[in-house]
Amino acid sequence: MSWLVRPRLVNGPFDDPGLYLDFRFGRRAILFDLGDLTPLSSRELMRVSHVFVSHTHMDHIAGFDRLLRVCLHRTEPLTLVGPSGFIDQVEHRIRSFTWNLLDEHSIDFRLHVMEFESERLVRAAEFHARDAFVRRNGVPPDYLPGTVLVEENMRIEAVALDHGIPSLAFALREELKVNVLRGALDEMGLATGPWLGGAKRAARRGEPDDSLIDVGRDHTVPLGELRRRAFRIGPGQIVAYVTDAASHAENHRKIVRLAEKADQLFIEAMFLEKDRALATATRHLTARDAGALARAAHVKHFTVFHHSARYLPDPSSIGREVRDGFEAIPA
Ligand SMILES: [Zn+2]
Ligand SMILES: [Zn+2]
């Protein structure tokens, strides 16, 4: 089955965290975290529609200025989601620049900013370039608990982990994938047309086999027949991103639930076991934790990142402990 997004870390594993999710279609991208964005071109940043920020320690938000500067020249809005207090922080950052050159003739770039707290989006505000980015409070969308974005093909889930402060972890979940077998449509005497999009949506939503699909020219076909003969249906892609989380049972439970069966998990591995006291004090995961969590979540692939610079002289020590954690028999 083909992929919906191609995810890649923005920086090397010893540098700022950040994951760029490049969509296969639609010239679009999503970012998880907003640290140093130097490796991304302006063209890549122009494609970013949404940014989900774990927390606002500087290594996770320092790329905001560059992204804003690039996006000022576009008409599509940019949506930012972060933890409690995020809207005030974005507003303060915006207010730290001078905007006297913006007026009603400027490009109408808009920032939508929302806060996720206690499993929901609870606050929203907009900032429009044409009013020199004056804050306008709004109402966030009413999604199911644990959800920060819902679109036709996918949704993004969030969970607040304990990092001394809330640190949000995210997972992109593609809905069921429905591929159409053209030969089978021909055999059934069906021509492709706008009806096909509706039929695929019905299959993705899991509608019953006896629902009738209008295929044009006053004909209907039961959805079940399309499912059996003309559709190949498989699970969608799952990409999970976990960073800056204390190593304790409650966080572990939340991480495993979020990342369960992910195709790709990106997970922090800040410290080695010999520095576990430091990991506990600064509320970070160790390399061993990362391996054990990837195993417990039954992920297909995982990548570790956000390593302490103290291990730069011997980076292979991190890989060894990740493998130890992955191979240990779960308790
Ligand atoms: Zn942090
Ligand atoms: Zn960090």
Side-chain angles (χ1 to χ4, degrees):
M1 288 270 171
S2 54
W3 44 272
L4 177 72
V5 294
R6 196 189 285 282
R8 69 176 202 269
L9 289 170
V10 174
N11 295 292
F14 287 92
D15 299 314
D16 283 4
L19 189 70
Y20 187 82
L21 301 136
D22 201 357
F23 279 72
R24 182 173 177 170
F25 300 110
R27 291 212 194 132
R28 176 189 181 192
I30 283 178
L31 273 169
F32 290 163
D33 266 344
L34 199 46
D36 181 9
L37 300 176
T38 307
L40 295 176
S41 67
S42 297
R43 183 192 292 242
E44 285 169 319
L45 292 177
M46 281 289 260
R47 295 159 64 149
V48 173
S49 65
H50 294 72
V51 184
F52 299 89
V53 175
S54 61
H55 63 302
T56 50
H57 281 155
M58 207 170 173
D59 50 332
H60 298 259
I61 191 72
F64 174 77
D65 292 359
R66 171 137 182 262
L67 181 62
L68 176 63
R69 188 170 177 192
V70 168
C71 289
L72 282 176
H73 306 292
R74 76 180 203 194
T75 50
E76 297 79 29
L78 174 68
T79 299
L80 300 172
V81 175
S84 314
F86 188 60
I87 297 173
D88 282 350
Q89 289 180 308
V90 170
E91 183 182 13
H92 293 156
R93 195 71 188 152
I94 292 173
R95 294 268 74 80
S96 73
F97 300 105
T98 303
W99 300 109
N100 65 304
L101 300 179
L102 292 178
D103 59 26
E104 67 274 19
H105 306 296
S106 305
I107 292 174
D108 192 22
F109 172 65
R110 286 149 290 142
L111 261 180
H112 297 172
V113 190
M114 294 186 278
E115 292 179 10
F116 181 83
E117 194 182 291
S118 312
E119 300 200 316
R120 282 187 183 274
L121 292 172
V122 291
R123 274 177 289 281
E126 290 192 13
F127 301 85
H128 295 214
R130 286 184 178 177
D131 345 299
F133 292 117
V134 170
R135 173 171 171 169
R136 304 179 184 185
N137 287 325
V139 179
D142 186 22
Y143 296 142
L144 288 174
T147 310
V148 286
L149 180 66
V150 177
E151 294 187 356
E152 191 189 321
N153 292 344
M154 58 103 182
R155 64 186 188 278
I156 293 185
E157 294 177 353
V159 61
L161 302 174
D162 165 32
H163 176 47
I165 53 173
S167 174
L168 308 182
F170 304 105
L172 177 147
R173 286 178 197 282
E174 185 183 10
E175 303 299 341
L176 283 179
K177 227 183 233 313
V178 181
N179 288 351
V180 179
L181 307 172
R182 287 292 157 93
L185 284 185
D186 291 344
E187 280 169 26
M188 293 168 76
L190 299 173
T192 56
W195 66 270
L196 199 50
K200 287 167 75 175
R201 273 193 292 280
R204 269 200 295 269
R205 279 196 301 265
E207 288 187 14
D209 279 348
D210 57 6
S211 356
L212 292 178
I213 304 294
D214 183 347
V215 295
R217 290 191 237 123
D218 294 332
H219 274 65
T220 57
V221 174
L223 180 59
E225 198 177 334
L226 288 168
R227 272 202 183 100
R228 268 192 311 280
R229 298 179 59 185
F231 288 170
R232 205 172 55 196
I233 300 178
Q237 186 184 13
I238 304 174
V239 180
Y241 175 86
V242 174
T243 193
D244 293 54
S247 181
H248 56 56
E250 194 192 344
N251 271 355
H252 293 176
R253 245 193 326 275
K254 289 179 175 177
I255 292 167
V256 168
R257 201 182 314 140
L258 181 81
E260 180 71 27
K261 296 199 169 71
D263 296 281
Q264 288 132 309
L265 165 65
F266 294 82
I267 184 164
E268 77 152 337
M270 179 67 91
F271 292 106
L272 295 179
E273 284 311 304
K274 67 181 164 78
D275 297 316
R276 184 165 277 277
L278 259 178
T280 306
T282 57
R283 297 181 172 90
H284 279 286
L285 298 175
T286 64
R288 194 183 164 86
D289 292 328
L293 289 164
R295 173 71 171 268
H298 309 101
V299 303
K300 295 200 184 85
H301 300 280
F302 71 105
T303 305
V304 293
F305 68 103
H306 209 4
H307 308 323
S308 164
R310 72 190 56 228
Y311 309 122
L312 269 169
D314 181 19
S316 61
S317 57
I318 297 168
R320 274 198 303 277
E321 291 203 359
V322 169
R323 273 193 301 282
D324 285 352
F326 187 82
E327 285 160 10
I329 307 296

